[in-house]
Every structure is written in C-alpha cells, then in structure tokens.
C-alpha cells in the first residue's frame, strides 16, 4: 500500500506508519490553527468510516454529555430541520450511523460504501456537531421536561418526560449497570468517572438548558476534538472538507479540557449498597473487588494489565476464574470480571454473584488468597504463551458484525487519541507482543505483576450490592413526592407555561420540514447487483466448500452437520448442548486441559445451530449443527485436530462442570432482560405463528429465561438433574455423529492448497454420515396476549401479525412497510411524543410475521394504541413517493450491509444451504425496488387486522393489576 503523506495546507503532517498485521497505513496530522488532530487509517477497503470524538467531562450525574449527544442531532445551521439525524438514516445507504456517550468522550461515527453518500453524511455530521441549533424544545424532548399527565389540564398529575430520562430509567434497571456505576463511584472518588455520564434518572431533572449550552460551548470545539477516518478516500480530500465546512471558522481554544487522576486511597474501602429486585433472595448479593491501576495511555502499563487480566480470567483454566467458577460462595463469576481500560486510568475487577450477604468478607478473602497463591506458585509458561497468542490472533482478525471493521479500529484508538496518547502504537500490537514475549521468559514476571498491581495496591474497593424489594417503590414514591412538591409551588402562570410548552413541543414534533435541504442518495445510486462470492467445492471423504477471502493470515473452519430428527426433549436441550459442547472435556482430558489446548492453538471453539423455515412452508424446517473455530495459518492442522477430537470424543461425565455452566448461563440470561426487552417482547408476540417461532421463545425468549432459572434451581436441589441432562446430551451427540457432514473453509487464496491438504489429512477417517432423517418441529398456529413481569422501570411493547412468507408476492411490500411506518409515524409518536428510547416496525421473513415494538418505554397501553393508529395512518392518509423511496433505501441498505471477509463468505454459504440462491435474492431485491404505495396500503389492510394480531409486553411488576384488568395472560420469571 502506498504510504502517501499528501495533506491539505491547513494541516501539518506529523507521522505515518504501515501496520503489517492490519494491512493499513496510519497517518497522523494536526490542524495548524485549532490543534485538532486527524488520524487517517488508509486502507484499500471501500467502506469508508468517519468519526469525530470530543473529550466530554461531566462534573455531576445530570447526564449533560448524554443529553447533549441527543440534542446536537436535532438540527444545525446549514440543516435547520427538526431531526436531520433520523432523516439522513432514511436518505442514505449508510452501513452504520450512530452517536455514543462514553464516560469521558462523546463520538459521532458513520460509515458508507457509497462515496456520494459518505460526503453527504460528512456534511451533515460536521454541521451538527460544531454548529448545532440546540433548540430549547429539543432539549425538553430529548432530555427532560415537566408535563401534565393530560397535557392541557393543569389539575392532572405532573410528570417527568424525556427520551434520555426514560432511556436511563431502563439502563439503570439493569443490575449490571448499577453494579458498574456503583463500583466506579467509589473507585474514582474525585474525578469525572465518579459520576454517571449517561445520567442518573434522579439527577437528570436538575439539568438546566443553560447548563447544556455552557457545556456545549466549552467542549464542542475543534481544539477539544479528534477526527478519525478509515478507508480509500485520501486524507487530503477529507481535510479539505473539514477545513471548508468547520475548521476555517475557529481559532485555537486555549482552555484545555482535561481529566485529573483520581485521588488514591491509602487503605482499602468496603461499601454496601442495594439494587431493585422483585424479591430478596438469601443468595442474591453481588460481591466485587476492584483495583485502580495505572494510565491507559501508557502502553506498557496497558498491555501488562491486559496480559495479567487474560492470564487470570481468560478461560475456565485460568487460575483466578477457575477458583471463582468452582466456589460454593456464589452462583457464578461476576459480570464485572476483567480489565476496564477505556478510561484514562484503568481498573481491574473480579468477584461473584449469587452470594449470601454475610459471605461478602469470605469472597474478598477468597480473591486475595487466590492471588497470593498464584503469585507464590507462578503460572505455567504454556498458559502465558497462550494468552500472547490470543492477543496476536485478535490483532490480526478483520472483524465484522454490528460495527464496520474500520470503526472497530478507530474505536480501539479513540480513548488513546482523546487523552493525547500514541494512537499508532495502540493499533500496532506486534512490537508490544514481541517485547512481552521476552519479558514473560522471566518466571517471576506474572507473579510480580500480581504483587505490584493488585496485592500491594491499597486503592482497592470491595462492593457488596444486595437485593432490596422495596427500593423501586421508594424510588417511585420519591419521584411522586418531588413532583407533588413542584406542582404545589407552581403559580397559575407557571402552570400555563408548562401547558404552553407541551403544546409548542407537540406542534414542533408534528411540523413537516422541508427535507429537500438535506442531501440524499436515490434508487439510482443503489448497486445493480448483489455481490457474488467465489468458492470451490472440493470432493473427498467430507465435502469441503472453500472461499478465498482476505482474512489477514487467519483460517476459519466449520464442521457443518445436518440436524437429524430429534424428539421433543432433545429439541428443548439443543441450544444448551451447543453452548456447552466446547466447554467440556475430551477423551481422557478434563475441561481444564481442553480450555488450555483451545487457547494455545485457536481463537476458541464454538457450537451453534442454523435453523430456518423453507421458502415453501413456514412449518417445515432445515437445520444444521455447526462446530466453528479460527486460527492463524501455521495452526490449521492443530485446529482441525481439535475440532475433530471435540466432535468425536467430547465427554459427558463432568456433572459439576455442567452445573457451573448452567449457573453462569442463568446469570447472563437474567442480566440480559433490560438490554434486549424489545426483542424478548417481539419473540413472545411472534410465538403463536409457527413451530419455529414458538420454539425460539422457549429457547431464547422470556420462557427460555424462566427455564434457565428453573434448571439451575433443579440442579442445586438434586444432583441427578445434571446427570439426566448429560444423558440427553449423549443422545444428541450420537445422532449428530451419524448425520451428514461437510466442511466450510475460509482463507486467503495463496494458502488454499496448504490449508486443504492439512484439513483433508486430518478429516480423512471421519465418517461423512449417511443416516438421513428430517429435522422438524410440531406446527403451531394459535394466539398470544401475554404480559411478562420483571424488575424494570420501563416497558417493552410488541404486536405481531400473522402474514405471508417465502416467495409470496406480498412479502416485498411487507418488508418495506416496516420502515415506512417507522419513518412516517412511529418514530414521532412513540419516541418524540411518547418519550420511549425507540420504537418501530419490522417484517420477520423467517416466521412470516409483521412486528411492532417499543424500547425503554414509559408508556404501555398508549403505545399499543399507537401501533394501531399507525395502521390507520397508513390506510387513510395521503403519502409521498419520496417517503416510499426512503423506506426502500432503508431495506436495501440493510440487505447490502457488509460484514467481515470471513463473515460474508459464511453468510453466502448458509443462504445457499437454506435454499436462498443468488437468483432468488436478486429477484426479491428487484421486487423491493418496485414496491408501490398502493401495495403498502393493500398489505396493511389485508394482514394488519385484529384477526391476525398477537400482543406481548415486558414490563414492571407494578403493572400487574392494570394488565389483569385488560385480560393479559400474566407471566413472571
């Protein structure tokens, strides 16, 4: 790759370095006048990424940085429309658009493969961040406001409303979030990390509009900003836009925003607080021990801390995690276990959850005595070498998933950039890894790290967080009392001001902006064809499909097995079997030895299932069991042997290990509710529509969480439960061994011959199977009207309508309808007016269901009514072709969203395996592009009817009486 240093004259070139492990060149520039830094990651990748980050340092928990992040996106100097951010989402072919508030920075990133689209978004983002209007009505919508329950009736109850206010009510309903915020409050007694940068719901109403403006003026300035870009657009081109649109209008800001280091404790601190729970369980406490370490911008300190954390906690064979997993003092290791290195000063944490409150001192003693023992006895060299191997593997992997690869690299360097560290060194891990390899040859290196960073470090906090079943009621009552006091002190004029502001906000939310002032792409900019992925079918004992892709020195391997016919019990336990198979022993080796082996040769092993309905019948299924791994090219043979060994010789006699894993799974599932409540509600609402949808609810929905809790309880009560589960696992395993098998390989083309030779040699004697039985589930066709009650301050609402699926001609219109309803009605009514963090509609082609949803919603029945109102709006209002084009663009953008090189190949393999050929997908794409407004109205009228309706909500236990009166089937965990 050419190492060009060309740059705009307003910038000074500082340095450039090619990073071989990433195949990119990182360039550093500084704007001469303002001092703004620009880091450009030059790559041949055509998915260009932009991010502007600002150091944002709150001095309280009012949520000013978070509310500002929202409000900044509500209109700017060049684009004075009410909601340019959400408008651009639907006028764009972006592959990513968002904004983040961290503990000490706020970032505005986007990505696109379309150059015209990239420059459109760049103009909107730059203007939004540096020339935001910050209208007071937008502050009251996004942040907080006082409003009467009946907006025009001053005699009705006074309430707090606001998107961030409700978002944080939902966020702080998560015990994990409470645990994190509480621990950092004590770890950082005197600087910005002491506070909740997202905002505490009790404190958010204290933030004034003037406070918001003041924070914007001091923090949103180029002198306090870092620009970071990735892709094949030259730095010089990007800098020309930065200069023209923003930087030429600013001078250097002399006052620097900084984060002082925390005041250090001279002796350890022990504290106890509570978290909201439906019931007080004897073993419901969390106990976490946390240490404050050195600065993350010191790369030597950072990687020493990372290595130490990996050695202690990476897998079940790691010495500290092993003790925590096996301890009878708690149910599972704490979700806090690990290193936090994104703040200026790092912290290391470990502990247990599911602890008896009185055992908190024992947990602290266990952690400290374990560390002392490890420091005294040392750590096997193989284990340390394996952790360095994992660091190298993670360095080389070209990631994908929810974040574009370029954005992943940018975020890896963002905190370092914000705190003026060495970004290039942060991204180029090879020199650090090589230096570490030399250091770890000293047998005392790891023990000395344990002593210096942990055992002799007096800045230690032990937090006990215990359940409190009255906390939510007290919190709600305190909010009511506060509002009552405010209302009692209001003059008639002030009451009228509140009413007038509510009316003004509703008018503003309903106004139709001139969207033509915003740039856009059109259907003419949509790529004509879907990408084709070259692959080769290789005959042999096991059929192999090889995809040549740019994987940066890694090989991805999957053993793919046809799911055979399973009985009801085997189907129930299939996901549990998949999650545990790679966590158990193999042959004569127990799970601890296997965990070490995995860490030494590959990036871990995983098992999963790919199950989809056929195109012809939603009740008929194709299913596959998949055993996956990835490794560096020199380790292909060792990885293949491990994969094969696991498949053939996995042990089903480690009952205690299964109990540990079940307890950990329960903990993860319970913690997931408030973060994915909308998905859980949609899964529940869809569960009556097909056998697969019903089973998905039993596996991964609220019913699945309840089953995970029940299984854990049963294993604690009766030792035979684990043995019974292992017997089911054994039956499943025997059936899989007899089923048809094939291999999927993804690697760079130059390694194809050597990789195929090594893999074929390893699998030469593995039976390809031959027993052909059809995987199926019992059909389901019923109705649902269910309310799941849990500990949460907000609701998650969903309706699901039975529709058509597969090749039916109405599927394309139903797919476009979701975005059309969200863009034109649901976003405004549910988020802006209703105060929910999110809301929308989507078509699920796998089950043939059209689903409405809301996320972190202060309302419940009103939102369900709004779902219905959106259908009436669709049927009875006049709509524009521009709105239709935006909805189509949204669908095409999601269809065309790139993944990692390996991920794209694997996705291509499975869509073909499930019968969705390229011709089928391109025909569907053509139908999407041809959808008309009349078709949208027709499918809404035909399918979104009361006869096809199913309803599900996930909400607070305080709503029980209201929901019972409405006829809901009440369920709880």
């Amino acid at each position: 790759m050419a190492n060009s240093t060309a740059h705009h004259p307003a910038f000074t070139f500082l340095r450039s370095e090619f990073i071989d492990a990433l195949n990119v060149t990182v360039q550093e520039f500084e704007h001469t006048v303002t001092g703004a830094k620009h880091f450009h990651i030059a790559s041949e990748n055509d998915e260009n990424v932009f991010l502007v980050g600002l150091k944002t340092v709150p001095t309280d928990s009012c949520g000013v940085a978070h509310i500002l992040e929202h409000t900044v996106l509500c209109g700017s100097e060049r684009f004075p429309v009410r909601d340019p951010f959400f408008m651009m989402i639907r006028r764009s072919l972006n592959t990513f658009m968002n904004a983040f508030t961290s503990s000490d920075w706020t970032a505005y990133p986007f990505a696109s493969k379309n150059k015209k689209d990239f420059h459109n978004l760049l103009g909107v983002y730059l203007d939004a961040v540096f020339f935001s209007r910050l209208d007071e009505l937008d502050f009251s919508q996004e942040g907080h406001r006082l409003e009467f329950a009946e907006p025009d009736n001053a005699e009705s109850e006074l309430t707090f409303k606001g998107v961030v206010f409700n978002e944080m009510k939902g966020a702080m309903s998560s015990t994990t979030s409470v645990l994190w915020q509480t621990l950092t409050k004590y770890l950082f007694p005197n600087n910005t990390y002491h506070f909740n940068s997202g905002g505490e719901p009790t404190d958010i109403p204290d933030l004034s509009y003037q406070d918001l403006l003041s924070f914007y003026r001091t923090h949103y300035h180029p002198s306090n900003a870092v620009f970071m870009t990735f892709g094949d657009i030259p730095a010089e081109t990007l800098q020309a836009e930065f200069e023209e649109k923003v930087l030429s209008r600013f001078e250097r800001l002399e006052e620097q925003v900084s984060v002082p280091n925390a005041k250090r404790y001279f002796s350890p601190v022990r504290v106890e607080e509570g978290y909201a729970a439906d019931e007080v369980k004897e073993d419901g406490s969390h106990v976490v021990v946390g240490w404050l370490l050195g600065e993350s911008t010191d790369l030597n300190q950072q990687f020493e801390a990372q290595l130490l954390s990996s050695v202690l906690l990476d897998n079940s064979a790691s010495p500290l995690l092993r003790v925590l997993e096996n301890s009878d003092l708690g149910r599972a290791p704490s979700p806090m276990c690990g290193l936090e290195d994104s703040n200026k000063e790092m912290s290391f944490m470990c502990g247990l959850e599911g602890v008896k409150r009185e055992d908190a001192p024992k947990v602290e003693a266990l952690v400290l005595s374990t560390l002392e023992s490890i420091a005294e006895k040392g750590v096997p060299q193989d284990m340390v070498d394996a952790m360095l191997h994992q660091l190298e593997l993670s360095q080389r992997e070209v990631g994908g998933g929810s974040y574009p690869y370029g954005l992943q690299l940018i975020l890896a360097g963002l905190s370092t950039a914000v705190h003026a560290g060495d970004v290039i060194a942060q991204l180029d891990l090879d020199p650090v890894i090589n230096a570490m390899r030399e250091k770890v040859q000293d047998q005392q290196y790891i023990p000395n790290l344990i002593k210096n960073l942990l055992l002799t470090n007096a800045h230690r906090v032990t937090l006990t967080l215990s359940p409190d079943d009255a906390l939510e009621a007290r919190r709600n009552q305190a909010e009511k009392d506060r509002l009552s006091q405010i209302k009692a002190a209001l003059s008639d004029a002030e009451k009228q001001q509140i009413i007038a502001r509510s009316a003004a906000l509703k008018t503003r939310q309903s106004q139709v902006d001139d969207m033509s002032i915003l740039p856009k792409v059109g259907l003419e900019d949509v790529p004509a064809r879907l990408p084709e992925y070259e692959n080769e079918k290789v005959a042999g004992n096991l059929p192999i499909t090889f995809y040549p892709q740019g994987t940066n020195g890694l090989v991805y391997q999957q053993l793919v097995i046809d799911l055979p016919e399973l009985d009801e019990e085997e189907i129930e336990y299939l996901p549990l079997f998949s999650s545990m198979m790679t966590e158990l022993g193999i042959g004569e080796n127990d799970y601890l030895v296997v965990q070490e082996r995995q860490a030494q040769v590959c990036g871990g092993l995983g098992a999963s299932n790919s199950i989809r309905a056929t195109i012809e019948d939603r009740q008929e299924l194709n299913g596959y069991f998949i055993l996956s791994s990835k490794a560096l090219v020199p380790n292909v043979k060792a990885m293949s042997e491990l994969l094969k060994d696991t498949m053939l010789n996995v042990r089903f006699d480690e009952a205690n290990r299964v109990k540990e894993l079940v307890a950990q799974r329960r903990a993860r599932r319970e913690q997931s509710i408030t973060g994915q409540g909308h998905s859980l509600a949609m899964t529940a609402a869809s569960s009556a529509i097909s056998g697969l949808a019903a089973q998905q609810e039993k596996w991964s929905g609220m019913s699945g969480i309840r089953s995970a809790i029940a299984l854990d309880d049963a294993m604690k009560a009766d030792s035979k439960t684990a043995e019974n589960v292992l017997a089911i696992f054994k039956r499943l395993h025997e059936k899989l061994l007899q089923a048809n098998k094939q291999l999927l390989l993804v690697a760079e083309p130059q390694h194809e011959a050597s990789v195929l030779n090594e893999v074929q040699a390893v699998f030469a004697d593995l039976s390809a199977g031959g027993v052909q039985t059809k995987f199926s589930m019992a059909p389901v066709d019923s109705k649902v009207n269910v309310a799941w009650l849990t500990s949460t301050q907000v609701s998650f609402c969903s309706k699901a309508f039975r529709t058509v699926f597969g090749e039916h001609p109405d599927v394309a219109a139903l797919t476009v309808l979701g975005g059309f309803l969200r863009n034109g009605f649901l976003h405004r009514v549910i988020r802006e007016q209703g105060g929910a963090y999110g809301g929308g509609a989507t078509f699920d082609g796998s089950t043939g269901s059209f689903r409405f949803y809301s996320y972190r919603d202060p309302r419940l029945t009103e939102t369900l009514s709004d779902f219905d109102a959106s259908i009436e709006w669709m049927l009875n209002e006049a709509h524009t072709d521009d709105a239709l084009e935006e909805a189509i663009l949204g669908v095409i953008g999601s269809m065309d969203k790139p993944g990692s090189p390996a991920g794209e190949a694997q996705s291509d393999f499975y869509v073909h395996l499930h019968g969705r050929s390229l011709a089928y997908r391109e025909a569907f794409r053509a139908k999407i592009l041809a959808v008309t407004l009349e078709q949208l109205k027709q499918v809404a009228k035909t399918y979104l009817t009361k006869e096809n309706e199913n309803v599900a909500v996930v909400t607070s236990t305080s709503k029980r009486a209201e929901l019972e009166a409405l006829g809901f089937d009440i369920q709880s965990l």
Side-chain angles (χ1 to χ4, degrees):
M1 182 184 295
N3 188 358
S4 170
T5 59
H7 58 281
H8 189 275
F11 283 78
T12 301
F13 169 74
L14 299 180
R15 59 185 180 142
S16 175
E17 186 174 313
F18 177 70
I19 301 178
D20 180 65
L22 303 176
N23 193 30
V24 299
T25 298
V26 185
Q27 303 164 341
E28 182 178 355
F29 306 89
E30 183 175 304
H31 187 249
T32 309
V33 174
T34 65
K37 284 290 185 72
H38 175 211
F39 294 94
H40 180 59
I41 305 174
S43 167
E44 294 170 4
N45 193 323
D46 67 350
E47 186 180 19
N48 284 276
V49 182
F50 166 86
L51 177 147
V52 58
L54 306 123
K55 191 186 298 180
T56 46
V57 185
T59 55
D60 55 38
S61 293
C62 290
V64 60
H66 187 190
I67 292 170
L68 188 54
E69 172 223 310
H70 281 241
T71 316
V72 153
L73 299 172
C74 293
S76 63
E77 183 179 283
R78 286 178 58 215
F79 306 107
V81 291
R82 183 172 51 83
D83 200 0
F85 178 78
F86 284 100
M87 287 178 180
M88 284 305 296
I89 285 178
R90 49 195 198 243
R91 296 169 69 83
S92 162
L93 288 168
N94 74 85
T95 55
F96 187 89
M97 273 181 74
N98 212 330
F100 310 132
T101 303
S102 184
S103 54
D104 56 8
W105 52 254
T106 303
Y108 297 86
F110 71 82
S112 181
K113 289 172 71 74
N114 181 291
K115 298 291 194 295
K116 173 183 173 183
D117 188 39
F118 180 88
H119 290 291
N120 287 348
L121 289 167
L122 182 59
V124 173
Y125 263 64
L126 290 173
D127 207 58
V129 171
F130 294 104
F131 306 111
S132 181
R133 288 192 306 174
L134 297 182
D135 190 289
E136 189 169 3
L137 285 175
D138 293 327
F139 166 65
S140 58
Q141 170 187 287
E142 296 297 318
H144 69 88
R145 65 186 181 276
L146 289 168
E147 188 167 290
F148 291 109
E150 299 169 34
D152 57 356
N153 179 7
E155 300 308 310
S156 61
E157 278 190 17
L158 194 62
T159 64
F160 287 128
K161 286 198 170 181
V163 172
V164 171
F165 177 73
N166 290 310
E167 177 192 350
M168 294 312 297
K169 273 197 166 185
M172 299 314 293
S173 295
S174 160
T175 305
T176 305
S177 296
V178 175
L179 197 57
W180 165 251
Q181 292 297 341
T182 308
L183 187 58
T184 53
K185 177 173 69 176
Y186 290 103
L187 274 176
F188 299 93
N190 68 308
N191 63 12
T192 191
Y193 310 116
H194 181 78
F195 305 105
N196 184 345
S197 64
E200 287 288 344
T202 52
D203 295 357
I204 288 172
D206 294 332
L207 181 68
S208 74
Y209 176 56
Q210 290 305 318
D211 292 336
L212 186 88
L213 296 179
S214 175
F215 195 88
Y216 180 76
R217 283 192 293 267
T218 55
H219 290 76
Y220 278 58
H221 188 284
S223 298
N224 189 46
V226 56
F227 296 85
M228 304 185 80
T229 51
F230 169 93
D232 61 1
I233 299 175
E236 186 177 19
T237 303
L238 296 163
Q239 289 165 2
E241 291 204 55
F242 301 165
E243 174 68 9
E244 177 196 347
K245 293 186 166 76
V246 174
L247 299 177
S248 61
R249 295 174 55 181
F250 286 89
E251 297 297 324
R252 188 180 293 259
L253 190 68
E254 296 305 326
E255 185 181 345
Q256 294 293 310
V257 176
S258 62
V259 179
N261 286 342
K263 235 178 230 181
R264 295 284 170 154
Y265 296 135
F266 296 116
S267 62
V269 173
R270 294 173 184 85
V271 291
E272 180 173 1
E273 292 203 17
Y275 69 92
D278 290 335
E279 60 177 311
V280 175
K281 295 179 180 175
E282 183 187 19
D283 59 351
S285 292
H286 295 250
V287 181
V288 181
V289 186
W291 288 263
L292 192 61
L293 308 181
E295 293 190 14
S296 60
T297 50
D298 182 327
L299 287 183
N300 184 55
Q301 289 191 59
Q302 181 190 139
F303 285 102
E304 282 188 338
Q306 286 184 355
L307 178 62
L308 179 60
S309 180
S310 297
V311 167
L312 293 176
L313 294 168
D314 180 74
N315 60 66
S316 294
S318 302
L320 180 55
L321 187 62
R322 178 180 177 179
V323 168
L324 294 174
E325 286 185 344
N326 286 288
S327 173
D328 292 330
L329 290 172
R331 186 167 62 235
S334 169
M336 295 292 100
C337 284
L339 178 74
E340 169 52 55
D341 59 2
S342 64
N343 293 336
K344 186 185 174 192
E345 290 176 286
M346 300 175 289
S347 48
F348 176 81
M349 306 167 189
C350 60
L352 290 169
E353 64 180 329
V355 178
K356 292 180 180 177
R357 183 180 171 190
E358 62 270 21
D359 284 343
K362 295 179 183 176
V363 174
E364 181 188 67
L366 176 69
V367 167
L368 295 176
S369 63
T370 301
L371 291 172
E372 287 167 356
S373 174
I374 300 167
E376 182 183 337
K377 297 176 183 176
V379 178
Q381 191 64 35
D382 286 351
M383 187 176 288
V384 179
D385 292 340
M387 291 307 100
L388 286 172
H389 166 249
Q390 292 300 314
L391 270 176
E392 181 182 5
L393 199 148
S394 65
Q395 155 85 335
R396 286 196 169 272
E397 184 168 21
V398 182
S402 57
Y403 286 0
Y405 175 57
L407 181 57
Q408 293 178 40
L409 291 181
I410 286 171
L411 290 174
L414 177 58
S415 184
T416 301
V418 164
H419 292 293
D422 187 338
V423 173
I424 292 177
Q426 179 73 48
L427 293 174
D428 188 9
L429 295 191
D430 277 355
V432 182
I433 293 170
N434 291 333
M436 286 286 180
R437 282 207 173 95
E438 290 188 23
K439 290 180 180 179
V440 299
Q441 298 310 307
D442 178 359
Q443 297 295 309
Q444 289 304 304
Y445 181 67
I446 297 296
N448 285 338
L449 285 182
I450 295 172
K451 292 171 188 172
N452 296 333
L453 297 184
L454 304 177
L455 290 175
T456 62
N457 181 356
H459 195 109
R460 186 179 82 227
V461 175
T462 300
L463 168 66
T464 303
L465 196 70
S466 297
D468 184 341
D469 58 358
L471 179 56
E472 186 175 353
R474 289 197 303 272
R475 190 160 48 201
N476 291 340
Q477 189 59 50
E479 185 177 305
K480 286 181 180 179
D481 292 345
R482 181 179 183 182
L483 287 162
S484 296
Q485 290 171 7
I486 293 171
K487 185 179 178 183
L490 290 174
S491 66
D492 289 343
E494 288 169 331
K495 290 177 182 178
Q496 289 307 309
Q497 285 176 0
I498 292 172
I499 291 172
R501 184 177 58 198
S502 297
L505 181 56
K506 187 163 187 180
T507 299
R508 179 168 169 77
Q509 290 166 338
S510 302
Q511 76 185 35
V512 178
D513 286 315
D514 177 12
M515 291 176 56
S516 67
I517 66 173
L518 287 166
K520 67 186 283 291
V521 292
L523 298 183
E524 69 277 6
D525 297 302
V526 171
R529 296 286 309 275
L530 289 170
E532 289 188 64
Y533 297 94
E534 176 190 349
N535 65 82
E536 182 183 347
K537 303 290 184 184
V538 183
N541 181 50
L542 290 186
I544 297 176
T545 304
F546 181 90
Y547 281 83
Q549 290 282 91
T551 57
N552 206 21
L554 268 71
V555 178
Y556 295 80
Q557 183 173 20
Q558 293 186 339
L559 177 62
V560 183
I561 304 175
D562 293 2
L563 275 176
E565 182 179 2
L566 302 176
D567 63 38
E568 196 172 316
E569 193 174 47
E570 290 163 349
I571 289 173
E572 179 187 350
Y573 281 93
L574 179 61
L576 188 65
F577 169 80
S578 303
S579 69
M580 290 193 181
M581 182 176 178
T582 59
E583 300 286 341
L584 300 174
I586 299 173
E588 294 181 358
N589 294 322
D590 65 15
Y591 75 91
L592 295 169
V593 175
V594 172
Q595 294 272 300
E596 290 187 49
R597 181 181 172 190
Q598 289 179 6
Q600 288 164 3
V601 304
C602 65
L605 243 64
S608 59
N609 303 287
S610 177
I611 301 170
R612 288 187 72 172
T614 64
I615 295 172
E616 296 79 20
D617 184 350
R618 80 177 95 206
Q619 308 285 5
E620 186 180 338
L621 307 173
N622 288 320
Y624 303 91
F625 175 83
I626 305 155
L627 196 59
S628 309
S629 191
K630 60 194 174 193
L632 298 169
V633 170
N635 290 338
V636 168
K637 182 181 179 184
M639 170 177 67
S640 299
E641 289 171 343
L642 176 60
L643 206 68
K644 175 185 170 186
D645 212 3
T646 302
M647 190 65 231
L648 291 178
N649 302 312
V650 59
R651 288 172 59 165
F652 299 112
D653 60 353
E654 295 174 301
N656 286 335
R657 174 61 170 167
V658 169
K659 290 177 186 176
E660 291 168 13
L661 293 171
V662 164
Q664 292 171 31
R665 181 171 175 265
R666 169 194 180 154
R668 288 194 304 270
R669 298 296 302 278
E670 285 184 303
Q671 291 154 11
S672 72
I673 295 172
T674 53
Q676 58 167 14
H678 62 310
S679 297
L680 293 167
M682 285 192 285
T683 300
S686 305
S687 63
I689 290 173
S690 73
L692 178 58
Q695 192 61 53
Q696 285 171 334
E697 211 285 320
K698 293 177 184 175
W699 280 342
S700 57
M702 292 297 287
S703 296
I705 296 173
R706 182 164 63 187
S707 296
I709 294 169
L711 181 61
D712 182 42
D713 288 342
M715 285 192 174
K716 286 180 170 60
D718 185 353
S719 60
K720 290 186 178 178
T721 304
E723 294 171 11
N724 294 339
V725 169
L726 283 164
I728 298 167
F729 285 179
K730 194 168 185 179
R731 287 187 351 232
L732 269 166
H733 182 241
E734 287 169 353
K735 288 186 176 182
L736 288 171
L737 286 177
Q738 297 173 47
N740 288 333
K741 303 174 189 68
Q742 58 181 309
L743 285 166
L744 169 62
L745 289 170
V746 186
E748 288 163 313
Q750 67 267 31
H751 298 303
E752 178 177 0
S754 63
V755 166
L756 284 172
N757 286 338
E758 292 196 312
V759 170
Q760 286 176 314
V762 170
F763 285 97
D765 59 348
L766 179 65
S767 167
V771 177
Q772 297 189 25
T773 57
K774 180 71 174 169
F775 177 73
S776 63
M777 294 177 183
V780 170
D781 185 354
S782 59
K783 297 279 281 184
V784 161
N785 188 44
V786 64
W788 282 91
L789 305 184
T790 187
S791 179
T792 174
Q793 299 179 64
V794 288
S795 297
F796 306 87
C797 308
S798 181
K799 284 192 176 185
F801 293 82
R802 178 186 309 280
T803 66
V804 289
F805 70 103
E807 294 184 289
H808 193 284
D810 286 344
V811 164
L814 284 163
T815 304
V816 174
L817 181 60
F820 195 90
L821 293 177
R822 181 191 66 242
N823 295 347
F825 189 91
L826 294 169
H827 175 77
R828 170 170 49 86
V829 172
I830 292 176
R831 188 183 192 277
E832 294 180 350
Q833 296 176 0
Y837 185 49
T842 181
F843 176 68
D844 178 13
S846 65
T847 57
S849 61
F850 189 89
R851 310 189 296 187
F852 292 88
Y853 66 90
S854 71
Y855 181 62
R856 293 182 177 170
D857 193 343
R859 306 182 305 157
L860 201 155
T861 53
E862 302 93 333
T863 294
L864 296 175
S865 297
D866 284 337
F867 294 157
D868 298 336
S870 73
I871 301 169
E872 294 301 312
W873 171 83
M874 181 73 241
L875 296 175
N876 299 323
E877 297 291 330
H879 305 291
T880 67
D881 289 334
D882 284 347
L884 173 64
E885 183 181 62
E886 290 174 357
I888 291 173
L889 281 173
V891 173
I892 295 296
S894 63
M895 291 172 69
D896 291 356
K897 185 176 181 180
S900 67
E904 289 179 351
Q906 290 164 345
S907 175
D908 184 73
F909 175 81
Y910 286 105
V911 292
H912 281 92
L913 201 59
H914 283 289
R916 275 75 170 175
S917 67
L918 181 64
Y920 166 83
R921 287 177 283 132
E922 289 203 321
F924 178 63
R925 182 188 178 87
K927 291 175 188 174
I928 292 287
L929 291 167
V931 166
T932 66
L933 287 169
E934 189 53 44
Q935 286 176 310
L936 293 186
K937 290 198 172 193
Q938 185 58 43
V939 294
K941 182 179 179 181
T942 303
Y943 303 109
L944 307 190
T945 65
K946 286 294 177 187
E947 295 76 35
N948 290 331
E949 179 185 275
N950 298 277
V951 185
V953 297
V954 177
T955 189
S956 167
T957 50
S958 64
K959 304 277 188 185
R960 178 183 289 273
E962 177 186 353
L963 291 163
E964 285 176 341
L966 292 169
F968 277 86
D969 173 21
I970 306 296
Q971 298 289 328
S972 58
L973 298 176

